[in-house]
């Protein structure tokens, strides 16, 4: 049984999408071992409690990054996590964190990377005049929104789109892409060639 550790800072809609994929048997041989948040009032923690999933707040405010990351890493190891999934976790992952879980941390970003990294990617896409937007699930490395791409999904940008409407359509695709990417990584049937994620031939 593969064990996931979910990190979130907000409502955790992607966490719930992953939980739903497990419940619907779209992610086989997988369970969510623990949900962690750097914010005590993150709604995603309450959602995890309702699903009877171990959930803990490890507040980051006022703490040194190294100290906070060490506690997060220890808790993930305590729950024997195989794969760490960032689901709206609003902190930059440190090098120490990446080294603790090499090629075992995933993130989803609301753009077709490498376009529009960082915050407010949907607004960036609209401002730039992009005709196609989407989301990317990628491995996490030491740089922001930079790791090897696993899955991407596209959505058209409509002339009357706002940040809100575009974000909603992209989020629908995030909920599909994340479980797909998790299954692909946990299968082990891939290699990384330079910056390319390549599925193994059957």
């Amino acid at each position: 049984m593969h064990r996931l550790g979910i990190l979130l800072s907000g409502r955790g809609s992607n966490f719930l999408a992953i939980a739903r994929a497990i419940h619907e048997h779209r992610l086989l041989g997988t369970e969510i071992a623990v949900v962690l948040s750097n914010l005590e009032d993150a709604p995603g923690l309450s959602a995890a409690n309702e699903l009877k999933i171990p959930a803990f707040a490890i507040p980051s405010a006022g703490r040194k990054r190294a100290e906070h990351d060490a506690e997060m890493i220890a808790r993930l190891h305590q729950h024997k996590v195989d794969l760490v999934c960032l689901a709206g976790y609003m902190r930059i992952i440190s090098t120490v964190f990446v080294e603790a879980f090499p090629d075992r941390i995933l993130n989803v970003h609301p753009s077709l990377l490498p376009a529009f990294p960082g915050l407010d990617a949907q607004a960036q896409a609209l401002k730039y005049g992009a005709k196609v937007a989407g989301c990317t699930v990628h491995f996490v490395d030491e740089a922001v929104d930079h790791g090897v791409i696993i899955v991407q999904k596209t959505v058209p940008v409509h002339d009357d789109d706002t940040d809100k409407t575009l974000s909603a359509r992209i989020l629908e695709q995030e909920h599909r892409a994340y479980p797909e990417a998790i299954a692909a990584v946990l299968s082990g049937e891939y290699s990384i060639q330079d910056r390319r994620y390549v599925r193994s031939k059957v």
Side-chain angles (χ1 to χ4, degrees), residues 7-121:
L7 274 57
L8 53 80
S9 298
R11 58 198 175 99
S13 71
N14 272 299
F15 150 57
L16 292 174
I18 294 167
R20 187 163 55 250
I22 292 172
H23 179 72
E24 294 173 355
H25 306 292
R26 289 183 284 118
L27 259 178
L28 299 176
T30 305
E31 63 182 356
I32 298 175
V34 66
V35 175
L36 302 179
S37 179
N38 64 309
L39 300 177
E40 292 182 295
D41 59 352
L45 292 176
S46 298
N49 288 326
E50 290 177 7
L51 294 173
K52 304 296 191 292
I53 296 172
F56 305 92
I58 302 178
S60 57
R63 301 180 66 186
K64 293 182 178 179
R65 182 175 300 278
E67 177 186 294
H68 181 258
D69 280 0
E71 187 173 350
M72 295 286 283
I73 292 166
R75 189 62 65 99
L76 291 168
H77 284 318
Q78 177 188 343
H79 287 269
K80 297 180 172 59
V81 166
D82 301 305
L83 190 68
V84 179
C85 300
L86 310 186
Y89 185 61
M90 303 306 291
R91 281 177 65 80
I92 296 173
I93 297 296
S94 68
T95 299
V96 171
F97 212 133
V98 172
E99 291 174 349
F101 296 93
D103 296 326
R104 281 293 178 267
I105 307 176
L106 306 186
N107 184 44
V108 63
H109 182 73
S111 80
L112 297 174
L113 292 174
F116 314 123
L119 297 175
D120 302 319

